[in-house]
């Protein structure tokens, strides 16, 4: 075994796998094993390419292995170096320098430093007469030890809650199945197409006027002229996407959802993610004989890839792949692509949805459009916004790492302008091309976050964060049961009761705030919102 370890330098490849798995440990419940496997192949291929290239120059297997190891160490740690720099600046209360390290120029400086370090490594290794077998053995042992530690860390996340998660899955699947066991539709019953379109972070009109000094009366009137009912006093039930969609897609409040938190981090994500991917609304429409349709979401947790028809741009990598690549030194190349991919993802939904209206047969379509939520990538006319910073989809005070509140206000209004234009175009095309009666719901999951904080409630402008666009188009224009303050938890209760003969009484309106890291630690804010 000792001879094997000294003869075969496996450590560059083991280190690369370890770097990926360490990154994956923070995304275990977001990324699929298939996606991880493809990335493992990509990482191994990349390391093999570096190893082969360096071998052509150094003419020595051991030297090439050591160089590839050092190259990988700085390549995969690129954004960790950037993070160290901006965290140091943050400790000095130098917010300007924090933002500087997030700019393209700041990133380029770090990239130049990394490149110089790699050149230095190459020169030093080339000057060595030989690499001692003991060093090869040691590096092999060290990387194996690192891998074992990483597997242990992953095990600490996965294993303690495995039984609890399985019990939750069985319980939830049983709950959903029981809710649809006796359901059927009369064959003569009208089966309209149903579109549920989430415009992430789209503010209510009065908030746009008061905080953003933007009047979107024309947009609201355009919707009304086309037959929409706009709930002009609507609040979301929950302050963030994960809780909001888990609630609306299951027509329930989340008070009783188990906090599956075996590692005691407060990150109770699993139950929310599972409830979204296996939600009651989609399951009900499947029971009615509908085809379910969803679009590739830019957020893994709202990506309903188990729909009958799943629409995605195959050229654009999944969220986890994008995030991993942008954590490496490849981000200097990947970052502009992230902006382009984001614009294409948003436009793809608007451009493709009307095509579904021409399809025969009843469909339930879900689309989560991650706009006008940051990052701000569109000008008001839809042209690409020139952005000199790292791609960061963070909202609330997370945006302040890369921009100012004034930039948030300006960028948000630009995207509202564009999204409104695309929404009206989409609605007109659906109205023109639809072969079936239809129901179309335009709804925000929460409001914007220019005066909001991801980690606490103190100082949050709840009117901004909780007020939402909430608009309904019913093919028969029967809006007698809708009301100005209706909230998302009641959206499908009303639709299913009115059009599908389901006895689902409306729930009282309640509103909850929670932090990003503890989404199910819910704070009732009913009394803090204007009535």
């Amino acid at each position: 075994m000792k001879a094997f370890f000294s003869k075969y330098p496996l450590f560059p490849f083991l280190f690369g796998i370890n770097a990926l798995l360490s990154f994956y440990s923070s995304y275990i419940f977001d990324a699929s094993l298939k996606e991880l496997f493809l990335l493992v192949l990509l990482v191994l291929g990349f390391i093999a390419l570096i190893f082969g290239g360096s071998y052509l120059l150094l003419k020595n297997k051991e030297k090439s292995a050591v160089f590839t190891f050092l190259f990988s160490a700085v390549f995969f740690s690129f954004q960790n170096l950037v993070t160290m720099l901006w965290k140091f600046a943050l400790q000095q209360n130098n917010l300007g320098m924090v933002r500087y390290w997030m700019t393209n120029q700041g990133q380029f400086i770090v990239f130049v430093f990394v490149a110089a370090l790699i050149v230095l490594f190459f020169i030093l290794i080339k000057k060595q007469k030989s690499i001692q077998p003991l060093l090869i053995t040691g590096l092999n042992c060290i990387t194996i030890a690192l891998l074992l530690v990483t597997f242990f860390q992953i095990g600490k996340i996965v294993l303690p809650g495995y039984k609890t998660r399985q019990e939750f899955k069985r319980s939830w699947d049983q709950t959903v199945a029981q809710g649809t066991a006796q359901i059927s539709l009369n064959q003569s019953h009208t089966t309209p197409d149903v579109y549920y379109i989430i415009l992430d972070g789209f503010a209510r009109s009065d908030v746009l006027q008061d905080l953003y000094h933007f009047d979107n009366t024309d947009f609201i009137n355009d919707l009304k002229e086309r037959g929409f009912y706009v709930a002009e006093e609507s609040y979301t039930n929950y302050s963030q996407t994960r809780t909001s969609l888990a609630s609306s897609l299951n027509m329930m409040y989340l008070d009783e959802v188990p906090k599956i938190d075996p590692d005691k981090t407060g990150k109770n994500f699993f139950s929310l993610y599972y409830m979204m991917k296996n939600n009651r609304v989609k399951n009900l429409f499947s029971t009615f004989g509908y085809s379910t349709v969803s679009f590739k979401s830019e957020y893994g947790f709202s990506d309903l890839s188990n729909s009958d028809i799943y629409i995605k741009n195959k050229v654009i990598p999944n969220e986890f792949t994008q995030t991993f690549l942008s954590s490496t030194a490849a981000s200097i190349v990947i970052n502009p692509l992230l902006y382009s991919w984001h614009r294409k993802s948003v436009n793809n939904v608007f451009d493709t949805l009307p095509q579904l209206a021409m399809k025969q047969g009843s469909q339930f379509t879900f689309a989560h459009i991650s706009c006008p939520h940051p990052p701000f990538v569109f000008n008001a006319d839809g042209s690409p916004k020139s952005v000199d910073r790292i791609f960061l989809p963070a909202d609330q005070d997370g945006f302040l790492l890369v921009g100012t509140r004034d930039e948030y206000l300006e960028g948000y209004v630009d995207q509202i302008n564009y999204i409104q234009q695309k929404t009206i175009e989409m609605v007109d095309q659906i109205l023109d091309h639809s072969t079936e009666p239809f129901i179309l719901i335009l709804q925000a999951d929460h409001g914007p976050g220019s005066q909001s904080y991801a980690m606490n409630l103190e100082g949050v402008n709840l009117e901004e964060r909780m007020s939402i666009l909430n608009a309904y188009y019913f093919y028969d224009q029967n809006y007698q049961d809708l009301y100005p303050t209706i909230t998302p938890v009641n959206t499908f209760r009303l639709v299913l009761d009115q059009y599908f003969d389901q006895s689902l009484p409306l729930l009282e309106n309640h509103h909850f705030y929670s932090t990003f890291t503890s989404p199910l630690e819910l704070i009732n804010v009913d009394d803090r919102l204007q009535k």
Side-chain angles (χ1 to χ4, degrees), residues 55-333:
Y55 182 77
L56 291 175
L57 297 173
L58 295 170
K59 310 297 183 184
N60 180 281
K61 179 179 63 176
E62 289 75 19
K63 287 185 179 182
S64 298
V66 173
F67 170 75
T68 303
F69 170 75
L70 295 172
F71 178 97
S72 300
V74 293
F75 181 86
F76 290 114
S77 302
F78 181 79
Q79 288 300 340
N80 290 336
L81 295 174
V82 175
T83 300
M84 288 172 57
L85 291 169
W86 70 252
K87 281 187 175 181
F88 177 77
L90 195 61
Q91 291 172 357
Q92 308 303 312
N93 293 318
N94 190 340
L95 196 53
M97 187 56 68
V98 171
R99 292 172 183 150
Y100 176 77
W101 292 120
M102 297 293 192
T103 65
N104 291 341
Q105 185 177 6
Q107 295 274 305
F108 183 72
I109 287 174
V110 178
F111 182 82
V112 170
F113 170 76
V114 166
L117 204 57
I118 288 171
V119 171
L120 178 62
F121 289 154
F122 184 84
I123 293 172
L124 292 175
I125 291 170
K126 188 175 183 180
K127 287 183 176 181
Q128 299 299 312
K129 289 183 178 180
S130 63
I131 301 296
Q132 295 298 317
L134 184 61
L135 179 61
I136 302 298
T137 301
L139 288 174
N140 275 331
C141 292
I142 289 171
T143 50
I144 289 173
L146 287 173
L147 263 177
L148 291 174
V149 170
T150 299
F151 279 123
F152 177 74
Q153 293 297 331
I154 291 174
K156 281 181 62 178
I157 298 170
V158 174
L159 295 178
Y162 179 78
K163 183 177 179 180
T164 306
R165 289 194 299 275
Q166 294 303 114
E167 288 175 354
F168 175 79
K169 288 167 68 174
R170 284 193 293 269
S171 173
W172 182 252
D173 291 345
Q174 184 178 11
T175 298
V176 172
Q178 287 174 346
T180 58
Q182 306 299 322
I183 286 177
S184 63
L185 279 182
N186 190 306
Q187 289 186 348
S188 63
H189 198 287
T190 301
T191 53
D193 288 340
V194 179
Y195 302 89
Y196 187 36
I197 302 170
I198 301 297
L199 301 174
D200 201 312
F202 199 117
R204 205 171 66 192
S205 293
D206 54 339
V207 169
L208 287 173
Q209 182 68 64
D210 295 343
L211 296 182
Y212 292 83
H213 308 294
F214 178 73
D215 185 354
N216 79 331
T217 302
D218 289 343
F219 172 68
I220 299 300
N221 288 338
D222 284 344
L223 290 176
K224 290 178 178 178
E225 287 172 6
R226 287 157 175 79
F228 277 80
Y229 176 90
V230 180
E232 299 191 49
E233 300 174 29
S234 185
Y235 290 107
T236 183
N237 302 105
Y238 295 92
S239 61
Q240 55 178 287
T241 303
R242 293 169 297 182
T243 43
S244 180
L245 293 185
S247 170
S248 65
L249 285 168
N250 290 293
M251 304 173 290
M252 62 179 284
Y253 286 108
L254 306 177
D255 309 57
E256 304 302 319
V257 174
K259 299 177 178 64
I260 299 173
D261 186 24
D263 55 352
K264 308 303 179 186
T265 63
K267 297 180 180 179
N268 308 296
F269 297 159
F270 176 81
S271 51
L272 293 174
Y273 292 0
Y274 193 79
M275 289 170 64
M276 271 187 276
K277 290 183 181 294
N278 303 277
N279 65 78
R280 293 172 63 193
V281 168
K282 184 165 74 70
N283 189 272
L284 279 167
F285 279 105
S286 291
T287 304
F288 296 153
Y290 276 57
S291 293
T292 58
V293 184
S294 67
F295 286 78
K296 174 75 179 73
S297 172
E298 294 185 82
Y299 300 105
F301 55 78
S302 63
D303 193 23
L304 306 187
S305 56
N306 54 355
S307 299
D308 297 323
I309 300 172
Y310 178 59
I311 301 171
K312 63 175 292 188
N313 187 328
K314 294 181 180 179
V315 176
I316 300 176
N318 290 336
E319 178 193 14
F320 174 66
T321 299
Q322 291 186 32
T323 307
F324 173 70
L325 293 177
S326 61
S327 73
T328 71
S331 65
I332 207 77
V333 175

Side-chain angles (χ1 to χ4, degrees), residues 3-22:
F4 177 86
F5 276 179
S6 64
K7 184 177 180 181
Y8 296 102
L10 302 176
F11 54 87
F13 300 93
L14 297 177
F15 180 84
I17 293 173
N18 182 71
L20 173 59
L21 291 178
S22 296

